Protein backbone atom coordinates (compact mmCIF):
# COMPACT_ATOMS: atom_id res chain seq x y z
CA UNK A 1 0.00 0.00 0.00
CA UNK A 2 1.25 3.45 -0.84
CA UNK A 3 -1.31 5.06 1.47
CA UNK A 4 -3.42 6.65 -1.26
CA UNK A 5 -7.11 6.95 -0.47
CA UNK A 6 -9.49 4.42 -2.04
CA UNK A 7 -12.24 6.40 -3.74
CA UNK A 8 -15.40 5.81 -5.73
CA UNK A 9 -16.27 7.86 -8.83
CA UNK A 10 -19.45 8.25 -10.86
CA UNK A 11 -18.68 8.33 -14.58
CA UNK A 12 -21.35 9.14 -17.14
CA UNK A 13 -20.80 8.63 -20.84
CA UNK A 14 -22.99 11.48 -22.04
CA UNK A 15 -25.38 11.28 -25.03
CA UNK A 16 -22.77 12.71 -27.45
CA UNK A 17 -20.36 9.95 -26.41
CA UNK A 18 -23.02 7.35 -27.24
CA UNK A 19 -23.98 9.06 -30.52
CA UNK A 20 -20.33 9.15 -31.63
CA UNK A 21 -19.99 5.40 -30.84
CA UNK A 22 -17.27 6.16 -28.32
CA UNK A 23 -18.41 3.83 -25.53
CA UNK A 24 -15.83 1.09 -26.07
CA UNK A 25 -13.09 3.57 -26.77
CA UNK A 26 -13.82 5.55 -23.58
CA UNK A 27 -13.96 2.45 -21.36
CA UNK A 28 -10.66 1.24 -22.86
CA UNK A 29 -9.06 4.62 -22.18
CA UNK A 30 -10.39 4.71 -18.60
CA UNK A 31 -9.00 1.21 -18.00
CA UNK A 32 -5.50 2.77 -18.10
CA UNK A 33 -6.26 3.95 -14.54
CA UNK A 34 -6.36 0.28 -13.40
CA UNK A 35 -9.51 0.73 -11.32
CA UNK A 36 -12.43 -1.64 -10.76
CA UNK A 37 -15.90 -1.15 -12.26
CA UNK A 38 -18.39 -1.89 -9.48
CA UNK A 39 -21.60 -0.68 -11.16
CA UNK A 40 -22.87 -0.07 -14.70
CA UNK A 41 -26.21 0.65 -16.33
CA UNK A 42 -27.92 2.58 -19.12
CA UNK A 43 -30.19 5.35 -17.82
CA UNK A 44 -32.70 7.69 -19.47
CA UNK A 45 -32.36 10.55 -16.97
CA UNK A 46 -35.61 12.13 -15.78
CA UNK A 47 -35.67 15.91 -15.51
CA UNK A 48 -35.56 15.59 -11.70
CA UNK A 49 -32.49 13.34 -11.81
CA UNK A 50 -30.69 15.62 -14.26
CA UNK A 51 -31.48 18.77 -12.27
CA UNK A 52 -30.48 17.15 -8.98
CA UNK A 53 -27.22 15.88 -10.51
CA UNK A 54 -26.25 19.38 -11.69
CA UNK A 55 -27.89 21.32 -8.84
CA UNK A 56 -24.69 23.27 -8.05
CA UNK A 57 -24.94 24.85 -11.51
CA UNK A 58 -28.59 25.90 -11.17
CA UNK A 59 -27.77 29.62 -11.38
CA UNK A 60 -25.60 29.36 -14.47
CA UNK A 61 -27.04 30.76 -17.71
CA UNK A 62 -26.29 27.48 -19.47
CA UNK A 63 -28.20 25.36 -16.90
CA UNK A 64 -31.32 24.73 -19.05
CA UNK A 65 -29.15 23.74 -22.00
CA UNK A 66 -27.03 21.51 -19.77
CA UNK A 67 -30.15 19.66 -18.60
CA UNK A 68 -31.25 19.22 -22.23
CA UNK A 69 -27.76 17.96 -23.08
CA UNK A 70 -27.48 15.35 -20.32
CA UNK A 71 -31.02 14.11 -21.06
CA UNK A 72 -30.17 13.70 -24.76
CA UNK A 73 -32.68 16.29 -25.95
CA UNK A 74 -29.95 17.79 -28.13
CA UNK A 75 -29.08 14.42 -29.67
CA UNK A 76 -32.49 12.80 -30.16
CA UNK A 77 -33.55 9.16 -30.07
CA UNK A 78 -31.99 6.67 -29.64
CA UNK A 79 -29.42 8.74 -27.74
CA UNK A 80 -31.64 10.05 -24.95
CA UNK A 81 -29.61 8.09 -22.43
CA UNK A 82 -26.29 7.89 -20.66
CA UNK A 83 -24.09 4.99 -19.64
CA UNK A 84 -23.55 5.30 -15.89
CA UNK A 85 -20.51 3.59 -14.34
CA UNK A 86 -19.05 3.45 -10.85
CA UNK A 87 -15.29 3.05 -10.57
CA UNK A 88 -13.39 2.24 -7.41
CA UNK A 89 -9.71 2.34 -6.55
CA UNK A 90 -6.79 4.29 -5.15
CA UNK A 91 -6.81 7.97 -6.05
CA UNK A 92 -9.59 7.19 -8.52
CA UNK A 93 -10.94 10.75 -8.86
CA UNK A 94 -7.67 12.34 -9.95
CA UNK A 95 -6.78 9.42 -12.22
CA UNK A 96 -10.12 9.47 -14.06
CA UNK A 97 -10.39 13.24 -14.30
CA UNK A 98 -6.89 13.37 -15.80
CA UNK A 99 -7.85 10.84 -18.48
CA UNK A 100 -11.13 12.74 -19.04
CA UNK A 101 -9.38 16.11 -19.48
CA UNK A 102 -10.36 19.70 -18.70
CA UNK A 103 -14.03 20.75 -18.69
CA UNK A 104 -13.55 23.03 -21.71
CA UNK A 105 -12.59 20.78 -24.65
CA UNK A 106 -10.45 23.61 -26.10
CA UNK A 107 -8.35 23.66 -22.91
CA UNK A 108 -8.22 19.88 -22.54
CA UNK A 109 -5.06 17.90 -23.32
CA UNK A 110 -5.52 16.73 -26.94
CA UNK A 111 -4.97 13.09 -25.95
CA UNK A 112 -7.56 13.25 -23.15
CA UNK A 113 -11.12 12.06 -23.86
CA UNK A 114 -12.55 15.59 -23.84
CA UNK A 115 -9.59 16.99 -25.80
CA UNK A 116 -9.91 14.32 -28.48
CA UNK A 117 -13.70 14.09 -28.77
CA UNK A 118 -15.29 17.15 -27.12
CA UNK A 119 -16.44 20.32 -28.84
CA UNK A 120 -18.01 23.65 -27.99
CA UNK A 121 -21.58 23.84 -29.27
CA UNK A 122 -22.92 26.90 -31.09
CA UNK A 123 -24.73 27.84 -27.86
CA UNK A 124 -21.36 27.89 -26.07
CA UNK A 125 -22.12 24.73 -24.06
CA UNK A 126 -19.19 22.36 -23.62
CA UNK A 127 -20.22 19.06 -25.23
CA UNK A 128 -17.51 17.08 -23.50
CA UNK A 129 -18.49 13.42 -23.79
CA UNK A 130 -18.00 12.33 -20.20
CA UNK A 131 -18.81 13.23 -16.60
CA UNK A 132 -16.51 12.31 -13.69
CA UNK A 133 -17.20 13.17 -10.03
CA UNK A 134 -14.97 15.97 -8.78
CA UNK A 135 -14.35 15.01 -5.12
CA UNK A 136 -15.30 12.25 -2.65
CA UNK A 137 -18.32 14.11 -1.23
CA UNK A 138 -19.73 14.80 -4.68
CA UNK A 139 -18.96 11.21 -5.70
CA UNK A 140 -21.01 9.83 -2.79
CA UNK A 141 -23.89 12.21 -3.51
CA UNK A 142 -23.89 11.37 -7.21
CA UNK A 143 -23.51 7.59 -6.82
CA UNK A 144 -26.42 7.52 -4.35
CA UNK A 145 -28.48 9.55 -6.84
CA UNK A 146 -27.87 7.26 -9.82
CA UNK A 147 -27.54 3.82 -8.18
CA UNK A 148 -29.32 1.75 -5.54
CA UNK A 149 -27.17 -0.32 -3.12
CA UNK A 150 -28.13 -3.60 -4.87
CA UNK A 151 -26.84 -2.30 -8.20
CA UNK A 152 -23.30 -1.99 -6.89
CA UNK A 153 -21.20 -5.09 -6.32
CA UNK A 154 -19.64 -3.84 -3.08
CA UNK A 155 -20.90 -2.23 0.12
CA UNK A 156 -19.23 1.15 -0.51
CA UNK A 157 -21.55 3.17 1.72
CA UNK A 158 -23.63 1.88 4.65
CA UNK A 159 -27.04 0.55 3.58
CA UNK A 160 -30.05 -0.92 5.35
CA UNK A 161 -32.74 -3.46 4.46
CA UNK A 162 -36.36 -2.33 4.53
CA UNK A 163 -39.65 -4.06 3.73
CA UNK A 164 -41.80 -2.06 1.36
CA UNK A 165 -45.53 -2.81 1.16
CA UNK A 166 -47.83 -1.86 -1.73
CA UNK A 167 -44.95 -0.82 -3.94
CA UNK A 168 -45.70 -1.13 -7.64
CA UNK A 169 -42.98 -2.88 -9.62
CA UNK A 170 -42.57 -4.00 -13.24
CA UNK A 171 -41.62 -7.66 -13.61
CA UNK A 172 -41.17 -10.02 -16.58
CA UNK A 173 -44.46 -11.56 -17.78
CA UNK A 174 -42.98 -15.07 -17.96
N1 LIG B 1 -20.30 23.41 -18.61
C1 LIG B 1 -20.38 24.28 -19.70
N2 LIG B 1 -19.80 25.52 -19.61
C2 LIG B 1 -19.13 25.92 -18.49
C3 LIG B 1 -19.05 25.04 -17.39
C4 LIG B 1 -19.65 23.80 -17.48
O1 LIG B 1 -20.97 23.94 -20.73
O2 LIG B 1 -18.62 27.05 -18.46
C5 LIG B 1 -20.95 22.08 -18.70
C6 LIG B 1 -19.99 21.00 -19.17
O3 LIG B 1 -20.71 20.07 -19.98
C7 LIG B 1 -19.53 20.40 -17.86
C8 LIG B 1 -20.81 20.46 -17.02
O4 LIG B 1 -21.42 21.70 -17.41
O5 LIG B 1 -19.03 19.09 -18.01
C9 LIG B 1 -20.59 20.44 -15.53
O6 LIG B 1 -19.73 21.49 -15.16
P1 LIG B 1 -18.56 21.33 -14.10
O7 LIG B 1 -18.04 22.69 -13.78
O8 LIG B 1 -19.03 20.47 -12.98
O9 LIG B 1 -17.41 20.58 -14.95
P2 LIG B 1 -16.90 19.07 -14.90
O10 LIG B 1 -16.89 18.62 -13.46
O11 LIG B 1 -17.87 18.26 -15.76
O12 LIG B 1 -15.53 19.10 -15.51
MG1 LIG C 1 -18.37 18.75 -11.98
Amino acid sequence: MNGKEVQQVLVLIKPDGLKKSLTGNIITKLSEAKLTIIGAKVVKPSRDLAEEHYKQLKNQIFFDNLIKYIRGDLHGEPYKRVLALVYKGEDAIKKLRTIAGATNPEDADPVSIRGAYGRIMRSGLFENVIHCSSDPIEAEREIKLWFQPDEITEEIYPSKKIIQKNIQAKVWEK
Side-chain angles (χ1 to χ4, degrees):
M1 274 292 277
N2 58 13
K4 291 230 165 118
E5 188 191 354
V6 172
Q7 298 169 329
Q8 285 77 235
V9 186
L10 178 79
V11 169
L12 303 175
I13 300 181
K14 298 180 180 181
D16 52 318
L18 300 182
K19 190 163 187 170
K20 291 173 177 166
S21 288
L22 291 171
T23 309
N25 194 311
I26 290 169
I27 291 174
T28 301
K29 204 136 178 51
L30 296 178
S31 72
E32 289 168 16
K34 300 198 187 316
L35 303 167
T36 309
I37 296 174
I38 58 171
K41 64 175 174 179
V42 180
V43 182
K44 294 185 89 154
S46 66
R47 177 165 299 280
D48 282 353
L49 174 58
E51 289 186 355
E52 190 61 27
H53 176 76
Y54 280 129
K55 70 176 181 187
Q56 274 101 345
L57 298 171
K58 203 157 179 67
N59 296 325
Q60 301 294 323
I61 40 161
F62 57 82
F63 183 73
D64 285 351
N65 247 341
L66 179 61
I67 297 307
K68 284 192 185 132
Y69 168 32
I70 199 69
R71 297 189 69 212
D73 287 347
L74 307 178
H75 298 87
E77 289 291 3
Y79 307 109
K80 292 188 172 198
R81 63 204 66 204
V82 301
L83 181 63
L85 301 153
V86 181
Y87 282 84
K88 178 182 177 178
E90 280 180 23
D91 210 14
I93 294 175
K94 187 160 154 244
K95 285 178 181 164
L96 292 182
R97 282 187 70 93
T98 301
I99 296 170
T103 306
N104 180 341
E106 295 283 318
D107 295 339
D109 185 327
V111 302
S112 68
I113 293 168
R114 288 166 162 183
Y117 304 119
R119 68 175 187 126
I120 301 180
M121 301 180 98
R122 267 196 289 268
S123 64
L125 192 76
F126 303 155
E127 193 192 57
N128 54 10
V129 188
I130 185 173
H131 166 84
C132 290
S133 312
S134 55
D135 61 72
I137 291 170
E138 265 299 278
E140 177 171 350
R141 186 186 77 82
E142 293 174 359
I143 291 167
K144 288 178 173 175
L145 196 57
W146 290 81
F147 286 84
Q148 294 302 321
D150 278 346
E151 297 175 316
I152 293 178
T153 57
E154 292 178 33
E155 183 83 359
I156 49 174
Y157 309 119
S159 65
K160 61 182 179 186
K161 288 211 164 82
I162 57 166
I163 295 169
Q164 288 179 314
K165 282 190 179 148
N166 299 323
I167 295 290
Q168 200 181 53
K170 207 183 212 179
V171 297
W172 303 119
E173 239 175 50
K174 287 184 192 167

